[in-house]
Amino acid sequence: MSIAYSPDGAEVGKTALTNGLSYFAAGDVALDSSTASNGQSACGRDGLISVPVAVVPVGVAFNLGEIRSLQLNGSLLSGILQGKITKWNDPELAAANPGVPLPSIDVVPILEKSPSDVTRAVNKYLATEAPGSWPDSSGSEWPSGTVRANEDKVTDVARKVDDTQGAITVLDTAIIGSRFSVARLQFGGVYQDFGNESTMAAIAAGETVQSVPRVVEQRLDGSKGYALAVLENQYFCTRYGNDATASLVRSWGESVLSRQGQRDAVVYSSSLPPSEPTTAAALKQVRAITSDKR
Amino acid sequence: MPARTASGSSAWTLFGKLFLLIFSAVSLWSLATPLMAVPDEPAHTIKAAAVVRGQITIEEGTSFGHGVHVRVPAYIANLHAQDCYKFRPDTAANCAPVIPSDANDEAIGVTSAGSYNPMYYWIVGLPSLVLTGQPALFAMRILSALLSAAFYSAGFTALAQLRQARIPVLMASLAVTPMVLFLAAGINPNSLEIAATMAAFCGFVVTLDNAHRVRHVLPAVITVIASTIVLANTRQVSLVWLLCALIAGVLLFRGTEIKAAFRSRLVLTGAAFTVPGVLLGIYWIYLMLHAPANSGVAPEGIANPQPGVSIYRAFLTMVEKAPEFVQQYIGVMGWLDTPVPMAVVMFWSTVFVVAVLLPLLIKPFKTTLGAWAALAMLIVVPAILQASIWKSMGFVWQGRYNLPLVVVLLIAVGMTARRVHFPQSAGAQSVARVVLWAAAFCHLLAFAFVLRRYVVGTFGGGNWHAMINGVQWQPPLGWFLLTLMYLAVVVTAASWLFRLLFPGAVLVQLRRTLSRG
């Protein structure tokens, strides 16, 4: 079996799946009820399945030379991304970082132009943590009022942060690695460290939600760990045209959600597994995939 | 009055004989080459299966990632899996998974040929409606081979109606390089494009050559009509090749002949016949220009845009690379991973050098204009086309795309030299024998070499013995029988050509003592 990856975005993937032109699709948003019931001609009467398969932490990376530790809350991050906080020694920043010798240099936010799942995660975080100053947006593009995003590719963003004293950006953990200093973020009044262990704690304490039939969601609990992350989902049909395809897709879904699959994901893409209850609920949905010929 | 050819037989009889000969050669290549080993064959096969199932245009939401997504039988949708030996000449073809005959459930196939005109695919895809598995795919190949063989035969038949046919026919025969036959053997409209351009050019020059008695060369006129309609509905760029062929053809004749031809009611009626077909082809181009675009970002390797390169620079790079394509005109088989042996390259390189220099020996200069124009177009037109897409798609040009113009060039040279006295002496016959045997040998060597590449893998060369004791993959009928049959075909072709060049003489001269005994 071979899998052809098409980096076209989740919307294209979902459309392809509901048109019967893809066997599964991936995206960073759990399907809503109307989308999940779509695609009945290609996917059978029950439409689509949506399950979480990975959690990818998102960090606020910065370049302040020797200064490695920084604390930000939603309001400060929103002020920085909207260009309202322009100096690192801004009094509000200093108040949040007692004892940190913040320099009097410009804050240089560097953002990716194209829509991305990281941007969507940050939008959601700020809409929750800075409700007064950040628009209630969960889109994958930066809302109006954000500083100008200049970089075409995320690799360009990373390079520019490396090259620019005072730079700050948001990146996923695979790119951050050990290359950048990353800020602690505040969730519901509690500062949490960026890191796998902290996010694992947020995942473990997070709820498994199934408010829409055949849609499983993983929530992250910010009071227990670092909860700014991209939630990767995969979408499947409930039914396929023949046994062979249904069996292959089922086997793919089971493989992705298996312990080995999740371990591979950690190694190769630095993503973390959903919680055990969430994985069990997801597996139940995947194992129910069937074919028209049954 | 039936049209007669230089060899004296009726045009239809000659067409029939040539068709059998060329179809035999091409189908032997079809059998000798593993399924999907012709460039982009999976994409074109998937497109053909989709077209005959009514998936003709690009619908909204079907084009993303690696191409246009269609629903075809699973054994066709999964043909991309036959690529284990692609770009690996040391790997025999037995590494490819079996193409099942029972995987007929509908599955998702992806084709990069989604925007191509459906005409070729409508015909070639038909066997997939009644057969399945390997038999269906071989039948699709054979149908494609039939189409190409028909146009090559029509082209040769037309040329044989020239008043001085020997040198043009000789050059046209030499234009049929191993690569031309290899391409004709696979499922790819590139094959039909080359054959139809050849036929259109040959029919056109014969019509002009008989401008004052067009009625006597009716098959040539019919050939031009059919080829024009086919070219307008093959690939978007095919109309450009047709235009080039017509320009080269016009420049080979005097104004009076051209005027006379275009005053002929038969020619004008023929031209009128082509109009609906050409308009249909243009309409398809219009449709595709307005079709839904690929709705995402094509993965790397599918498109490699070079936004920083200026068009001028791209054009000059292509012009500079023009000689590098010659090897691909001769034979770089498979997925550009199997260059034919150097001996074959040397033989046809000599043919190309002679072809390019020959017009310098012919006076007056204006009679050589067609050949020079064909050469200029071979260098400049692909450069313009590639330069125009360099920014968006990167460097994607391959030598095989130029083959329609290569064939036109060689025949145009033959036309330029058609009035040169063709000696009939014993010495001339000896020279011709050497050249034709060399050509036949090179064809056979290329065929056997490509078979070796798939039967045992090349492993850096020198492993012919493994064809006996280490066979890993066998084509239908086995490589040995195919090679013997191919030998028979190329010797027959050389003999026929020799007989045309030297009426009454034979290529294979048995000693009198032997014949007496």
Side-chain angles (χ1 to χ4, degrees):
Chain A
M1 185 177 76
S2 65
I3 291 174
Y5 169 61
S6 299
D8 299 303
E11 288 311 313
V12 174
K14 278 186 276 189
T15 306
L17 184 63
T18 52
N19 286 342
L21 295 177
S22 168
Y23 296 124
F24 69 93
D28 59 326
V29 179
L31 296 183
D32 56 33
S33 57
S34 63
T35 314
S37 57
N38 270 350
Q40 286 165 337
S41 62
C43 292
R45 183 167 41 87
D46 292 331
L48 306 179
I49 289 169
S50 167
V51 295
V53 294
V55 180
V56 183
V58 171
V60 178
F62 60 92
N63 179 353
L64 284 175
E66 295 299 305
I67 297 171
R68 300 274 179 198
S69 110
L70 184 71
Q71 293 193 140
L72 295 174
N73 57 32
S75 157
L76 289 170
L77 182 59
S78 125
I80 287 172
L81 296 183
Q82 289 174 331
K84 292 173 184 164
I85 297 174
T86 56
K87 291 284 181 189
W88 277 105
N89 61 352
D90 182 280
E92 283 185 68
L93 273 176
N97 291 278
V100 179
L102 291 169
S104 64
I105 59 172
D106 287 345
V107 177
V108 187
I110 294 168
L111 301 176
E112 186 186 355
K113 259 195 282 191
S114 42
S116 86
D117 46 7
V118 167
T119 305
R120 189 196 306 280
V122 175
N123 274 333
K124 277 176 77 177
Y125 167 73
L126 290 176
T128 309
E129 294 290 330
S133 57
W134 197 261
D136 184 11
S137 157
S138 59
S140 59
E141 293 183 62
W142 295 110
S144 62
T146 315
V147 294
R148 193 182 166 134
N150 282 326
E151 304 306 319
D152 287 323
K153 290 190 233 163
V154 70
T155 45
D156 296 336
V157 171
R159 187 182 40 76
K160 193 138 186 207
V161 172
D162 257 340
D163 295 345
T164 311
Q165 187 81 357
I168 185 165
T169 189
V170 284
L171 294 168
D172 73 41
T173 186
I175 295 172
I176 287 173
S178 55
R179 183 174 168 186
F180 296 106
S181 303
V182 186
R184 300 178 81 214
L185 281 189
Q186 200 176 62
F187 298 88
V190 184
Y191 277 109
Q192 302 287 2
D193 283 326
F194 172 81
N196 285 355
E197 273 183 37
S198 180
T199 303
M200 290 289 280
I203 294 170
E207 280 181 280
T208 304
V209 179
Q210 282 188 276
S211 52
V212 176
R214 291 171 296 282
V215 174
V216 180
E217 288 186 74
Q218 169 74 69
R219 294 278 153 80
L220 270 62
D221 185 345
S223 68
K224 297 290 190 296
Y226 187 92
L228 174 54
V230 173
L231 298 168
E232 297 290 2
N233 301 273
Q234 286 193 4
Y235 319 122
F236 304 95
C237 287
T238 48
R239 238 165 220 283
Y240 289 87
N242 56 70
D243 283 346
T245 307
S247 165
L248 274 174
V249 173
R250 234 180 3 252
S251 144
W252 164 257
E254 285 173 349
S255 163
V256 168
L257 290 163
S258 68
R259 284 186 187 279
Q260 185 59 46
Q262 293 291 331
R263 267 199 292 271
D264 289 346
V266 173
V267 172
Y268 295 112
S269 69
S270 307
S271 60
L272 303 172
S275 68
E276 285 190 18
T278 304
T279 303
L283 272 170
K284 190 177 168 193
Q285 293 298 333
V286 166
R287 285 176 180 145
I289 289 171
T290 186
S291 79
D292 288 339
K293 293 185 179 165
R294 288 243 159 141
Chain B
M1 177 183 153
R4 311 292 302 178
T5 63
S7 61
S9 57
S10 90
W12 299 110
T13 310
L14 180 64
F15 174 81
K17 286 180 181 174
L18 285 169
F19 177 77
L20 274 181
L21 184 75
I22 296 169
F23 176 63
S24 303
V26 175
S27 3
L28 287 171
W29 272 105
S30 291
L31 295 175
T33 311
L35 289 167
M36 306 301 119
V38 172
D40 301 330
E41 202 172 14
H44 294 295
T45 309
I46 290 169
K47 163 92 177 178
V51 166
V52 294
R53 285 167 177 77
Q55 299 161 67
I56 297 159
T57 56
I58 302 176
E59 304 292 337
E60 192 72 49
T62 60
S63 178
F64 56 91
H66 293 75
V68 174
H69 291 58
V70 292
R71 296 194 66 93
V72 291
Y75 77 93
I76 289 179
N78 297 327
L79 284 174
H80 290 290
Q82 300 286 311
D83 67 350
C84 57
Y85 50 78
K86 191 163 115 180
F87 308 132
R88 294 168 63 192
D90 58 341
T91 304
N94 64 324
C95 66
V98 173
I99 297 171
S101 292
D102 57 352
N104 295 307
D105 283 325
E106 203 178 64
I108 301 161
V110 186
T111 174
S112 53
S115 64
Y116 283 35
N117 190 298
M119 185 209 67
Y120 168 82
Y121 302 97
W122 242 321
I123 300 166
V124 170
L126 286 173
S128 75
L129 293 177
V130 289
L131 298 169
T132 178
Q134 291 202 32
L137 300 170
F138 275 117
M140 290 168 81
R141 269 190 172 180
I142 297 295
L143 208 48
S144 178
L146 274 170
L147 286 174
S148 292
F151 280 96
Y152 284 124
S153 310
F156 276 109
T157 306
L159 274 191
Q161 291 181 286
L162 282 168
R163 285 176 291 172
Q164 295 100 356
R166 287 195 182 100
I167 299 179
V169 172
L170 173 65
M171 292 308 287
S173 306
L174 291 171
V176 182
T177 62
M179 188 68 178
V180 167
L181 292 173
F182 165 77
L183 287 173
I187 302 166
N188 187 328
N190 195 187
S191 57
L192 182 58
E193 183 183 47
I194 303 164
T197 307
M198 185 268 190
F201 183 63
C202 294
F204 187 55
V205 295
V206 169
T207 305
L208 294 180
D209 191 49
N210 293 274
H212 298 285
R213 45 177 215 128
V214 174
R215 216 164 277 281
H216 290 87
V217 288
L218 184 61
V221 178
I222 295 171
T223 299
V224 180
I225 297 168
S227 309
T228 300
I229 294 170
V230 164
L231 279 173
N233 292 280
T234 302
R235 297 202 310 149
Q236 273 86 323
V237 77
S238 304
L239 276 173
V240 177
W241 307 144
L242 176 66
L243 182 65
C244 293
L246 297 182
I247 291 170
V250 162
L251 291 173
L252 286 165
F253 291 88
R254 289 193 299 261
T256 51
E257 289 163 320
I258 296 158
K259 279 181 198 158
F262 283 98
R263 279 194 199 119
S264 154
R265 192 172 293 172
L266 190 61
V267 170
L268 292 175
T269 309
F273 264 112
T274 64
V275 171
V278 172
L279 287 178
L280 205 61
I282 292 171
Y283 176 64
W284 178 263
I285 294 171
Y286 169 83
L287 267 186
M288 288 303 102
L289 286 174
H290 294 83
N294 190 301
S295 50
V297 183
E300 247 175 74
I302 300 297
N304 301 294
Q306 307 274 322
V309 178
S310 70
I311 290 180
Y312 174 69
R313 179 91 187 277
F315 173 81
L316 286 185
T317 307
M318 270 294 285
V319 171
E320 196 175 297
K321 278 179 176 286
E324 291 174 28
F325 287 127
V326 170
Q327 193 179 359
Q328 292 183 38
Y329 305 154
I330 298 164
V332 182
M333 311 339 198
W335 286 74
L336 293 183
D337 54 19
T338 311
V340 292
M342 193 44 73
V344 182
V345 176
M346 286 167 69
F347 175 81
W348 259 283
S349 298
T350 310
V351 170
F352 285 125
V353 170
V354 169
V356 170
L357 298 182
L358 189 60
L360 291 173
L361 303 174
I362 294 165
K363 302 285 182 231
F365 173 75
K366 65 181 180 186
T367 62
T368 63
L369 270 178
W372 293 122
L375 178 61
M377 288 188 288
L378 173 61
I379 295 168
V380 172
V381 173
I384 293 171
L385 294 171
Q386 166 63 86
S388 67
I389 55 170
W390 201 303
K391 277 178 188 283
S392 58
M393 295 185 71
F395 184 75
V396 293
W397 207 262
Q398 296 174 31
R400 64 187 172 92
Y401 302 156
N402 297 351
L403 276 169
L405 295 184
V406 172
V407 173
V408 166
L409 168 64
L410 291 185
I411 301 171
V413 169
M415 288 298 296
T416 295
R418 68 189 184 279
R419 293 195 185 89
V420 172
H421 170 65
F422 196 86
Q424 296 289 306
S425 63
Q429 289 187 23
S430 297
V431 172
R433 274 197 188 89
V434 169
V435 171
L436 292 184
W437 276 118
F441 171 76
C442 286
H443 268 296
L444 186 68
L445 180 60
F447 186 81
F449 183 85
V450 173
L451 267 171
R452 185 186 75 167
R453 177 256 180 275
Y454 292 114
V455 170
V456 293
T458 53
F459 276 108
N463 60 336
W464 288 98
H465 59 280
M467 299 275 279
I468 306 295
N469 57 14
V471 171
Q472 297 176 48
W473 175 82
Q474 276 288 21
L477 304 181
W479 73 263
F480 186 70
L481 184 56
L482 287 185
T483 310
L484 277 183
M485 292 163 78
Y486 197 70
L487 171 67
V489 169
V490 292
V491 170
T492 305
S495 303
W496 287 8
L497 182 55
F498 189 81
R499 212 161 54 203
L500 176 93
L501 299 176
F502 304 99
V506 287
L507 177 68
V508 186
Q509 247 184 344
L510 297 175
R511 287 179 185 279
R512 279 184 187 167
T513 47
L514 280 179
S515 56
R516 275 181 198 150

